Amino acid sequence: MRVLVTGAAGMLGSRLVKRLLEQGVGGRAVTAMDLFDAFPCAPPDAPSVEIRTFQGDIADAAISERLAASKPDFVFHLASIVSGEAETNFDLG
């Protein structure tokens, strides 16, 4: 099963990635994982899982199309602008 996690470099995303690798989803093991963030993602050590990392702007249509092209079975969308940054840059938030 292929899983896509956006916001994978963040606190929640990195913890979710670890949990998915340990427990899978709905009793199914994760065999492939795409990790996306605006910042570099360090792939976890999981030799039996195909892990690809992507970096960029989630609002870029070309990036979104590339992420969707792998046809993930599950998408965990955690990419966001958190409150502190959104408050200082209202347009970005």
Side-chain angles (χ1 to χ4, degrees):
M1 166 182 56
R2 179 174 290 280
V3 173
L4 165 62
V5 179
T6 68
M11 182 185 69
L12 292 177
S14 60
R15 289 182 182 202
L16 174 63
V17 167
K18 182 179 177 191
R19 181 66 57 95
L20 291 171
L21 290 171
E22 291 171 352
Q23 297 181 3
V25 179
R28 294 173 58 195
V30 173
T31 57
M33 185 174 281
D34 294 333
L35 307 178
F36 174 83
D37 207 299
F39 304 98
C41 288
D45 184 29
S48 63
V49 178
E50 173 197 348
I51 299 177
R52 301 183 310 171
T53 61
F54 301 89
Q55 182 179 349
D57 181 351
I58 193 70
D60 182 334
I63 289 175
S64 297
E65 289 172 13
R66 184 173 179 199
L67 293 172
S70 66
K71 300 186 180 190
D73 298 294
F74 287 93
V75 176
F76 294 89
H77 180 50
L78 302 175
S80 66
I81 303 298
V82 293
S83 64
E85 188 174 1
E87 290 169 4
T88 59
N89 186 341
F90 190 73
D91 290 337
L92 180 63

